[in-house]
Amino acid sequence: MSKTRRTLLRHSLVAGPLLSAQFFAAPPAKSETTQASEQWFWYPFHNLTMKATSSATGNTTAWMLVENSPRQGVPLHKHVYEDESFFVLSGLFEITVGGETITGGPGTYLYGPRQVPHQWTNIGTSRGRMLNVFTPGGIDKFFLSVGIPIHSSSEQPEVDVAAYDVRIKPLREKTGIIRLGPPKYPGP
């Protein structure tokens, strides 16, 4: 056996045990699909529906479709446990992550690492939609437990936002969503 071949085999055998058994696991037997009907929820500053829940992705991600009106957006906040990606589907959004602010329409993307303050706002003249992807999953359970079920993506229920916010604040903070400031355009 040549010296080069022995060296290659020795390095391969040393590297082999470092691989996880999960690397060789068989893929799931069946894939899960989304239901045709969507359940929308109201949450302050936007409406949302889950496109993929953490339970459907093995807790790897949660995919949330949000829709809101012009001058609506989330307060400055950070996530303790999740990274968040923002992908604009329609409308015009201003997205801030850390010290970077971008403005863009369909196809605009920005990544927000956990622990980094971020905020997004619909600055267009019509309703807009954005896909927010959280990694790992889990935060969807918070939104599904505190969101108010609505019949359509544009429904705006009558809610005392201040009282609602006081009621959900302990769970929001326990979930690792830390509010750091107001929305860009505070509501009425």
Side-chain angles (χ1 to χ4, degrees), residues 40 45-49 51 63-68 72-74 77 84-97 102 104-110 118-123 127-134:
W40 283 87
F45 317 111
H46 63 285
N47 294 344
L48 64 98
T49 187
K51 301 308 281 182
W63 294 53
M64 182 169 69
L65 176 61
V66 298
E67 183 175 312
N68 65 356
Q72 285 185 330
V74 298
H77 66 287
E84 184 175 5
S85 293
F86 311 92
F87 186 78
V88 177
L89 298 172
S90 65
L92 182 65
F93 285 86
E94 178 182 271
I95 307 167
T96 300
V97 175
I102 63 169
T108 301
Y109 172 82
L110 195 61
H118 58 277
Q119 179 174 34
W120 54 263
T121 305
N122 179 345
I123 61 169
R127 291 186 67 77
R129 283 186 167 204
M130 184 167 33
L131 185 62
N132 296 25
V133 180
F134 300 93

Side-chain angles (χ1 to χ4, degrees), residues 50-173:
M50 298 310 300
K51 301 308 281 182
T53 62
S54 55
S55 62
T57 65
N59 208 42
T60 59
T61 61
W63 294 53
M64 182 169 69
L65 176 61
V66 298
E67 183 175 312
N68 65 356
S69 294
R71 299 178 58 92
Q72 285 185 330
V74 298
L76 183 66
H77 66 287
K78 67 179 182 178
H79 299 280
V80 174
Y81 307 114
E82 301 88 14
D83 300 326
E84 184 175 5
S85 293
F86 311 92
F87 186 78
V88 177
L89 298 172
S90 65
L92 182 65
F93 285 86
E94 178 182 271
I95 307 167
T96 300
V97 175
E100 180 182 6
T101 299
I102 63 169
T103 300
T108 301
Y109 172 82
L110 195 61
Y111 169 75
R114 68 192 74 189
Q115 296 287 356
V116 176
H118 58 277
Q119 179 174 34
W120 54 263
T121 305
N122 179 345
I123 61 169
T125 57
S126 61
R127 291 186 67 77
R129 283 186 167 204
M130 184 167 33
L131 185 62
N132 296 25
V133 180
F134 300 93
T135 307
I139 197 169
D140 53 310
K141 294 172 187 160
F142 165 76
F143 287 108
L144 294 174
S145 68
V146 301
I148 297 173
I150 55 178
H151 299 338
S152 73
S153 64
S154 59
E155 183 179 344
Q156 297 294 303
E158 292 293 321
V159 177
D160 180 340
V161 177
Y164 176 87
D165 192 51
V166 167
R167 192 176 85 243
I168 69 163
K169 182 180 179 183
L171 183 56
R172 183 182 68 232
E173 291 178 350

Side-chain angles (χ1 to χ4, degrees), residues 168-184:
I168 69 163
K169 182 180 179 183
L171 183 56
R172 183 182 68 232
E173 291 178 350
K174 182 179 179 182
T175 304
I177 304 170
I178 310 301
R179 200 171 280 173
L180 303 169
K184 180 173 182 144

